[in-house]
Structures are given as C-alpha cells and as structure tokens.
Amino acid sequence: MDNLRFYIQTFGCQMNDHDSAVLARLLEEQGHLEVETAEGADVILLNTCAIRERAEQKVYSQLGRYRFLKEKRPEIVLGVGGCVAQGEGRKVLRRAPYVDLVFGTRTLHRVPELVEAVRSGRRQVVATALDDDPVALATLYAHAAGRGPRAYVTVMQGCDNYCAYCVVPYVRGRELSRPADELVEEVRRLAAEGVVEVTLLGQNVNSYGQKPPGEVDFPSLLRHVAAVDGIRRVRFTTSHPKDLSDDLIRAFAEVPGVMPHIHLPVQSGADRVLTAMNRRYTVAHYLGLVERLRRLRPDIALTSDLIVGFPGETDAEFEATLALMEQVVFDGLFSFKYSLRPGTRAAELTDPVPEAVKEERLARLQRLQGEHSLRRNRAMEGQVFSVLVEGGSKVGDGQVMGRTPQNKIVNFAGEVAWRAREVPVRVTAAAVNSSRGEAVGPAG
Ligand code: SAH
Ligand code: SF4
Ligand code: F3S
C-alpha cells in the first residue's frame, strides 16, 4: 500500500474532535502522513456535524471548495464522515457526486480499508451501518492518544434520550457504554505516555454503565480512573440534569482528582418548554442540583447550554430563562437559536418563533452572560490557583497558558518546559474568556 498524505477537517463537538484524532492515528499507524492543509493531500476527509442547519450547510460549502482540488487532481480521495454522513448516507452522493467515500459515526475503524477500496478502483463507497459493535469500538479507541498533557476518553457512544430538538440519537445511534476495565486500561496507557488529565466523553455520561447492563456506574468509573497512577485531573462531559445522582455530586467532594467544574446543560428556564423538549426535569429540580453541587463543592464552576426560540417559546418563557440565569450566574454558557432538524419530534411542532425574535433573544441572553462570565472571573482576582500548563500562550512572548481546576484559562510568564506541570498562579487581571496571572511558586 502507498504512503498517502491525508488531511482531516473536523466540525462539531469534542466527540468528533476526538474521533478525528483517533482516525488520524489509525491512518498514521498504517504508514500514512497527516498534513495541515487540503492542498497537496492525497486523501481529504471531512468529519461532519449535523446539530444545527448551519453546521450542515458548512459541510456542503466546504465540499464545493474541495471539488476544485479534485478537478485538478482527480486521484484525490474525498471522503465525508461523521454525523451529516450518517444522517444522509447515499444522499451525500446525490448532492456532491464527486465525493468518493461516505462513512458513518460507527464505521470510522474501517476508513483505512475503505480508502484503499476507492483507490483500487471501487468508486463511491458508502459504509454507514449504525450497529452496536463493542469490538469495533475497542479496536478504534485502542488508537486514542493524548494531546500533550490532556486526553479525551470516549466512555460511551450514542444517545437514547431523544430530546425533541436533537438529531444526535439518529446520527450517533443507540447508547452503548464501553467496559470499565477497557477504559481503565486505556487511561493507564495514556498516563504512561505522559497524559496527566483525562476528560471522559459521552452525550450523557451520567447514565454510563446502564446499556449494556452489568457494568459499574459512572461514579465508580470516576473513582477507578482517578486512581490510575499519574492521572492528576479528571473531567467529564456531558451531564444530563435528569440523571445527575447524589453519588455523582458527592464525587466532586470526595474523589481526589475530580475537578470542580460541571457542564450541566439546562436548555430552558421554563417548565413548559422543558417538557416540550422532552428533557424530563423541572427548573426547580435543576436549581436543587446547583444548590447541592455548590454546598458540597463551593469552588465549583458551572457551565451550561441554552436554546432560544424553541417552537412556541413565549416572551414570558424567555424571561424565565433570563431569570434562571440570574439565579445561577453561570461561569460560561453556550447558547443557540433553535434550529429545526428534519426527522426530530420538534420538527412537527407548528408554532415557530420568527428568526428576528430568536436573534433578539439570543443577543439579550449573550449580553447578560457576558456580564456574568466577567463577574465570575473577576472573583478569581487575587486568588491563587493550581494551573496545569498546556504550552506557549497565544498572547505573546514568554507567556504560557494553562487551566485552573475550574477549567478557566490563565496566561502568565513562564517556561514552555513547565508543560504538563502544575504551577501555583495568582490571578491578577480577569477578562471574559481568559485571565492574566503570575506564578507564585515552583512548577510541581
Ligand atoms: N448531549 C449533550 C449535548 C448535545 S449537543 C446534552 O444533552 O446536553 C450540544 C448542544 O447543542 C445542546 O445542549 C443544545 O443546547 C444544542 N442543540 C442541540 N440541538 C439543537 C437544535 N436543533 N437547535 C439548536 N441547538 C441545539
Ligand atoms: Fe441530544 Fe438530548 Fe441526547 Fe444531548 S441528551 S445528545 S441534547 S438527545
Ligand atoms: Fe455535532 Fe454529531 Fe457532535 S451532530 S455536536 S458532531 S455528536
């Protein structure tokens, strides 16, 4: 087999980022070479996202650009994978007939072989089976690697929650947890390669271990992972408020290494909307969780996701969302205009919120969040945090960048040789997205 230059472009969430990194490693192990741009690549792969309409459009406009490269060099293999490919299957080829390969969210492990099939003359290969295949999962993630001191570990695939607006259950398939012993082994291997922080990934990690049954639950998995030699920090995402147990809340206080940050998407501050979204909790339940988290771990940072303009959302319901924000004061927030996804339950609702109203609501919400993020970050000023150094900083010479236990970015004067080490840093000036600080002790 020839050694090929490949380029992967990734859209979407951390799961896709991680999948692309694993795919890159898989291809490298076969002797191929990853390159930084599509120009000059023999194989161009897109790992796509379907979460909102705009994400999907981006894929097709990007494909249009690669079409020109292919016209110049027809031997290029152009592949589309990930969530759009999974949802569209063969239809991708109808919209973009110059595409050679369509692979899904559960056929990543087959990509090297599929690329070869295209190169040996089979035009237009489509492989989008969505089966539960624990062996394939194990084979794929055996190639997981860290990025410097940090690594992702995919603990489960798919989602069975069917939130009314969401395409994920359709494009990522049924919920499937990986065996705990396999995960702990993966973390051990990563630690041996120099990783000190792992982030456990899943659409709803709180239900880890339920499907298939017989596995340990998520708090136990956390304990096992945190106990691995060399692992200093453990994070996880995403948590679903309906499944966040007391046991897991206690883990923030009891398990050394579990970092004081939780991403807990709330989606709306109005109970009627939450019901229509099929989220299966109330605002009161959510606020109760926040209260317990903060009682047990007062320094915990809280981030969330919110959607504005879900069908039928009234002004009063939107105001309720702002009121919830005022009550919680999130450290950070991802906010989105509702986007209709064909095939989901919400696609059948008849009462769309006009685009202009959605925009206005989003702008108000983001303005409020800007104030809250700043308020939360300013509260760090003068305090000392243990910062895990990730590398040189974008802000300039002699500065390094790292994160506090709360996952806040801090830039400070230091040496790149401190990478993967923890440094006590006093925060001197906070801004919305990152802070400045000064080291007040040696790198540990
Ligand atoms: N599994 C995670 C997140 C999945 S997607 C969870 O349950 O929270 C990330 C975020 O995208 C969601 O939390 C939601 O806020 C947003 N999102 C999902 N579908 C959307 C849609 N159709 N329109 C707008 N935002 C959406
Ligand atoms: Fe989508 Fe809901 Fe599953 Fe999250 S829990 S991925 S929002 S269906
Ligand atoms: Fe997008 Fe798929 Fe992630 S739809 S958000 S890349 S699971």
Side-chain angles (χ1 to χ4, degrees):
M1 191 167 63
D2 297 341
N3 295 340
L4 304 168
R5 286 160 300 172
F6 68 91
Y7 170 70
I8 307 181
Q9 183 175 22
T10 309
F11 304 84
C13 62
Q14 288 151 315
M15 295 202 120
N16 257 18
D17 273 347
H18 184 51
D19 282 351
S20 290
V22 172
L23 178 58
R25 195 135 191 244
L26 188 64
L27 288 163
E28 276 171 358
E29 280 169 15
Q30 312 237 333
H32 307 307
L33 177 73
E34 185 168 22
V35 291
E36 296 293 316
T37 57
E39 288 75 20
D42 307 302
V43 181
I44 300 172
L45 302 171
L46 276 72
N47 195 5
T48 63
C49 173
I51 200 79
R52 284 167 288 275
E53 193 183 355
R54 184 112 67 90
E56 196 159 335
Q57 283 163 354
K58 256 197 242 164
V59 172
Y60 284 101
S61 60
Q62 199 54 250
L63 278 175
R65 259 169 255 160
Y66 294 140
R67 173 186 201 161
F68 290 112
L69 289 180
K70 237 183 112 80
E71 276 167 6
K72 275 188 260 163
R73 288 177 48 223
E75 69 277 14
I76 290 176
V77 177
L78 181 56
V80 183
C83 295
V84 173
Q86 187 65 57
E88 299 264 284
R90 268 191 185 279
K91 275 193 257 165
V92 171
L93 300 178
R94 242 179 279 152
R95 263 180 90 170
Y98 45 90
V99 165
D100 302 295
L101 167 62
V102 181
F103 56 99
T105 52
R106 297 210 182 180
T107 49
L108 278 176
H109 59 292
R110 293 188 53 208
V111 168
E113 159 215 337
L114 299 170
V115 167
E116 265 324 290
V118 171
R119 284 172 43 85
S120 59
R122 260 183 67 200
R123 290 285 304 173
Q124 304 211 303
V125 174
V126 179
T128 52
L130 200 50
D131 308 330
D132 285 357
D133 186 347
V135 178
L137 258 184
T139 330
L140 179 67
Y141 292 115
H143 299 268
R147 282 173 223 183
R150 304 197 301 156
Y152 289 129
V153 175
T154 298
V155 302
M156 58 207 293
Q157 278 201 317
C159 183
D160 284 354
N161 288 303
Y162 291 95
C163 301
Y165 49 82
C166 185
V167 75
V168 170
Y170 306 94
V171 294
R172 289 269 170 179
R174 300 286 50 77
E175 183 177 307
L176 179 67
S177 298
R178 296 176 58 200
D181 51 359
E182 187 181 302
L183 293 169
V184 171
E185 206 37 61
E186 189 166 308
V187 174
R188 279 205 194 104
R189 184 174 55 75
L190 291 166
E193 291 170 13
V195 166
V196 297
E197 173 179 311
V198 288
T199 301
L200 309 183
L201 291 181
Q203 295 298 345
N204 174 14
V205 290
N206 302 163
S207 65
Y208 171 83
Q210 291 173 14
K211 295 171 187 174
E215 221 17 278
V216 301
D217 63 7
F218 190 64
S220 312
L221 177 68
L222 267 184
R223 287 182 171 86
H224 289 305
V225 167
V228 169
D229 259 357
I231 296 299
R232 297 204 205 168
R233 294 182 164 197
V234 183
R235 305 183 183 279
F236 53 88
T237 196
T238 302
S239 294
H240 194 308
K242 80 175 164 60
D243 296 317
L244 180 59
S245 66
D246 269 338
D247 201 16
L248 184 52
I249 293 177
R250 276 199 305 276
F252 279 105
E254 291 170 2
V255 184
V258 171
M259 289 293 104
H261 167 227
I262 185 166
H263 184 64
L264 193 61
V266 61
Q267 313 298 0
S268 167
D271 284 338
R272 189 203 64 82
V273 177
L274 288 175
T275 305
M277 286 175 163
N278 191 32
R279 288 292 286 180
R280 290 177 279 167
Y281 53 82
T282 60
V283 171
H285 175 76
Y286 187 88
L287 293 173
L289 295 174
V290 171
E291 207 257 318
R292 264 183 300 194
L293 284 161
R294 285 184 170 154
R295 182 152 30 89
L296 278 174
R297 189 80 204 238
D299 64 339
I300 200 164
L302 237 135
T303 56
S304 196
D305 295 347
L306 275 170
I307 296 176
V308 299
F310 186 78
E313 184 188 67
T314 63
D315 282 337
E317 285 165 344
F318 172 65
E319 295 296 333
T321 294
L322 297 180
L324 173 113
M325 288 172 65
E326 291 284 10
Q327 252 179 299
V328 177
V329 188
F330 292 108
D331 290 85
L333 186 69
F334 297 98
S335 48
F336 312 99
K337 286 184 284 180
Y338 168 75
S339 168
L340 185 151
R341 304 286 59 216
T344 60
R345 271 200 257 166
E348 283 149 39
L349 298 175
T350 49
D351 194 7
V353 173
E355 192 59 24
V357 175
K358 281 193 219 170
E359 255 156 39
E360 195 190 304
R361 287 181 185 169
L362 188 69
R364 269 186 74 193
L365 187 154
Q366 291 184 338
R367 222 174 306 129
L368 181 62
Q369 184 54 40
E371 290 165 23
H372 287 176
S373 297
L374 192 59
R375 194 194 305 171
R376 285 277 177 226
N377 288 354
R378 287 242 165 99
M380 297 163 64
E381 287 179 351
Q383 293 188 59
V384 175
F385 296 88
S386 174
V387 172
L388 176 66
V389 178
E390 289 173 28
S393 159
K394 283 186 284 190
V395 299
D397 289 345
Q399 297 271 310
V400 292
M401 171 276 195
R403 281 169 212 263
T404 67
Q406 289 77 6
N407 211 30
K408 310 248 182 164
I409 294 176
V410 182
N411 298 298
F412 62 101
E415 291 161 36
V416 179
W418 293 350
R419 191 174 173 159
R421 292 163 75 184
E422 284 177 297
V423 181
V425 175
R426 176 174 292 112
V427 172
T428 50
V432 176
N433 296 317
S434 65
S435 298
R436 297 268 191 159
E438 59 194 15
V440 293

